[in-house]
Amino acid sequence: MMRPFTRRAPRLGFSMLELVIALAMLAVVVGYGMPAYVAYAARGHRIEAVVALHRAAQYVVVRMADGDIDSEPSLPAGLDRAPEHGRIVYRIEWVQGADGRTGYEIWAKPVDGGPMHGDACGTFVLDGFGMRSNRDARGADVDAQACWAGRGA
């Protein structure tokens, strides 16, 4: 006598081979995607620093026009950091110009232990004439044009 055809219940889940292939594909995507994401985030942080420096420069120009200059200049809360809200990536400082011609300099220094600590662009500097420059951790000049465009040195 012939046995009637019985239907097998469908399998649920993944086989080990399917899981390994999926994980390998994910590793390849992450391997290519992470460096691009890190570069994208660094560019965003650099642009935030540039915007913060210009905001601080507007504040300084208004204070100087009003004659409201202290011997120890400081920026108000919100203008002393980049980004303005959230985790601090850069500290913004207003200092008197060393040569006396420019009147002031505004620095955007990467926060120690932050995502931009050790970045090739280092500290962003904007002076009273609008001259832009960058200094690395040792104080040496860096390619400012690339840094201020967000690309990095």
Side-chain angles (χ1 to χ4, degrees), residues 72-113:
E72 291 292 324
S74 62
L75 296 168
L79 288 180
D80 64 344
R81 56 180 285 171
E84 191 173 357
H85 303 289
R87 182 174 159 200
I88 299 173
V89 179
Y90 287 93
R91 284 271 179 217
I92 312 298
E93 297 177 15
W94 169 19
V95 296
Q96 296 295 345
D99 59 5
R101 293 181 305 125
T102 59
Y104 67 91
E105 287 183 342
I106 304 172
W107 300 343
K109 293 182 178 180
V111 174
D112 289 337

Side-chain angles (χ1 to χ4, degrees), residues 53-79:
L53 284 173
H54 286 291
R55 277 193 343 252
Q58 289 174 339
Y59 173 80
V60 169
V61 167
V62 169
R63 291 262 321 259
M64 291 178 87
D66 291 343
D68 186 20
I69 302 297
D70 303 328
S71 60
E72 291 292 324
S74 62
L75 296 168
L79 288 180

